[in-house]
Every structure is written in structure tokens, then in C-alpha cells.
Amino acid sequence: MMRHRLSGLIGLLYLGITTGFRLRGRYWTWRMETALGSDRSAWPSAAARRRSVLAYGAWARRLRLAARDA
């Protein structure tokens, strides 16, 4: 579990660096709308969103590492 969280944080850090940490920028706005929808009242709880964001970061890291190894 801790390894998954660490991988997620590293993946999010890399994404943050590549997007210039513009969390309200075009990429992150698009990402939030496609992942959660535009109706904020229908979003899952904050805890569920945090878990989802970490899972996304871990996935992005695995994808980046796989592309580098290919």
C-alpha cells in the first residue's frame, strides 16, 4: 500500500513538473472533467478523490517507465 502511494506521489510530481504546476491550466481542468465530470455535486467524497488521484499518479508513472523500457 505504501509503495503504491509513493509511486502515485512520484507520478504526480512528474506530471506537475511537466505541466508547470498549473493546476488550473488546460490539462488539469480537462483531466478533472473527464475523470469526475463537470457537476461537482456528483463528485465522490474527498477521500475517494484523493485515492483516485494517487491511483492515477501511479498509473502515469508505470506508463512512463514502460515507455522508457520499450
Side-chain angles (χ1 to χ4, degrees), residues 1 3 9 11 13-14 16 18-19 22 28 32 34 36-37 44 46 50-54 57 59 61-62 65-66 70:
M1 187 65 146
R3 185 176 179 144
L9 288 173
L13 178 64
Y14 180 77
T18 59
T19 60
R22 290 181 300 273
W28 288 108
M32 291 297 284
T34 57
L36 302 171
R50 281 190 296 273
R51 283 191 301 271
S52 296
V53 166
L54 283 176
W59 173 80
R61 178 167 160 68
R62 284 192 312 270
L65 290 175

Side-chain angles (χ1 to χ4, degrees), residues 7-65:
S7 180
L9 288 173
I10 292 170
L12 290 173
L13 178 64
Y14 180 77
L15 285 170
I17 290 168
T18 59
T19 60
F21 291 99
R22 290 181 300 273
L23 300 180
R24 301 274 185 230
R26 290 169 55 185
Y27 173 77
W28 288 108
T29 302
W30 168 81
R31 186 73 222 131
M32 291 297 284
E33 286 179 3
T34 57
L36 302 171
S38 58
D39 182 11
R40 287 184 174 255
S41 65
W43 283 13
S45 68
R49 286 194 313 266
R50 281 190 296 273
R51 283 191 301 271
S52 296
V53 166
L54 283 176
Y56 175 68
W59 173 80
R61 178 167 160 68
R62 284 192 312 270
L63 188 65
R64 187 173 65 87
L65 290 175

